[in-house]
Amino acid sequence: MVEIKHKETGDVLARVDGDSLVGADLRDMRLNGADLQGMDLSGANLEFSDLVGANLQAATLTGANLRSAHLNDANLKAANLAKVRAGTERPANVAVLSGADLSDANLDGADLRKAEIRFAKLEGASLTGADMRGTDFCHSNLSHVTAERALFIQANLREANLTAADLRDSHLNDANLVNANLEQADLTSSETNGFTVLNLANLEGANLVGARLRNASAQDANFRNANLTGVDLVGAVLGGAILRGAIVTNADFQGVQLASVTMEFANFSEAKNAEFPSYKKNLR
């Protein structure tokens, strides 16, 4: 018999038959404020469970089912959530992790589609190969995350902190990155013939100072009023992109075709290797 106790009061919240919580059926349980620190819940079914404010620091939840579970403000720091199932195509059935601490957590290969992860802490988390299509990360801190080959398609990253994030070979098609901080982020490629995709992404007002977008595809992306100071755009594909009012000081445009790029009111006088047609006007 395993007893699950409250992290502060010590009150028993649930008793589960067996010697461990591996593969346990914990559906629909009220476990808010539970102390599950360091426990092994691999493959456990936590669907519809209330884990608000629970302590899951360094817990193992590999392959666990968190769909429809509520983990608002939960402590998941350094937890192993590899291949966890927390998302679906139906927003009503996704996990809610808003305000949760996922710092240094392992979320490799996790299914986080459409999950609600607003105002959360994910500094240093690993999201390699994770599926985050449509996930809401608004105002979350994803600084220094490793998210190679991850899917952020149509994700909401508005005003998110992605400082020094490793986003190599990730897909951010149609993602909302308005006012996001991508300073020193790596959006290059870790694989031969690979590339990061930002087609149709909205980066209006975003901070990309010192970011690396070499060979990235950002067709029809919106960089209006974004700060691209010192950005490496060598070989990037920017067809149809909007750079109106963008700051491009010391940005390197070597090999970039700018004929179809909207560049009005952007100061290209201090940009590097920018070759644009003579008919382009209103360039400062």
Side-chain angles (χ1 to χ4, degrees), residues 9 16 26 76 88 97 112 127 130 160 175 220 267:
T9 66
V16 182
L26 304 174
L76 288 147
T88 72
L97 292 129
L112 300 170
L127 294 154
D220 298 307
N267 187 352

Side-chain angles (χ1 to χ4, degrees), residues 64-222:
N65 182 3
L66 297 178
R67 289 172 182 147
S68 299
H70 285 254
L71 293 109
N72 312 61
D73 303 314
N75 181 359
L76 288 147
K77 189 172 183 177
N80 187 351
L81 294 135
K83 297 184 179 179
V84 75
R85 293 167 289 159
T88 72
E89 287 300 314
R90 299 181 59 189
N93 296 122
V94 301
V96 179
L97 292 129
S98 292
D101 187 349
L102 290 147
S103 304
D104 300 314
N106 179 4
L107 290 146
D108 292 346
D111 181 356
L112 300 170
R113 288 171 298 160
K114 296 188 185 333
E116 184 180 315
I117 315 179
R118 299 166 62 91
F119 296 93
K121 299 176 183 178
L122 293 103
E123 305 101 306
S126 183
L127 294 154
T128 296
D131 189 345
M132 295 165 282
R133 288 174 289 174
T135 303
D136 190 353
F137 287 108
C138 184
H139 290 281
S140 288
N141 187 349
L142 292 98
S143 61
H144 299 277
V145 297
T146 300
E148 294 181 35
R149 302 181 304 282
L151 298 179
F152 288 97
I153 298 168
Q154 295 184 332
N156 182 14
L157 291 152
R158 186 184 182 98
E159 297 186 48
N161 182 1
L162 289 146
T163 303
D166 183 352
L167 301 167
R168 290 177 292 170
D169 297 311
S170 288
H171 286 216
L172 295 104
N173 313 50
D174 203 19
N176 181 355
L177 288 149
V178 173
N179 294 325
N181 187 356
L182 288 140
E183 187 172 353
Q184 300 296 328
D186 190 351
L187 294 105
T188 57
S189 178
S190 62
E191 300 178 2
T192 303
N193 299 322
F195 57 93
T196 303
V197 184
L198 290 143
N199 298 340
L200 297 169
N202 188 354
L203 295 112
E204 183 167 353
N207 176 14
L208 291 112
V209 173
R212 297 176 291 284
L213 283 84
R214 182 176 289 241
N215 298 321
S217 178
Q219 298 183 76
D220 298 307
N222 179 15

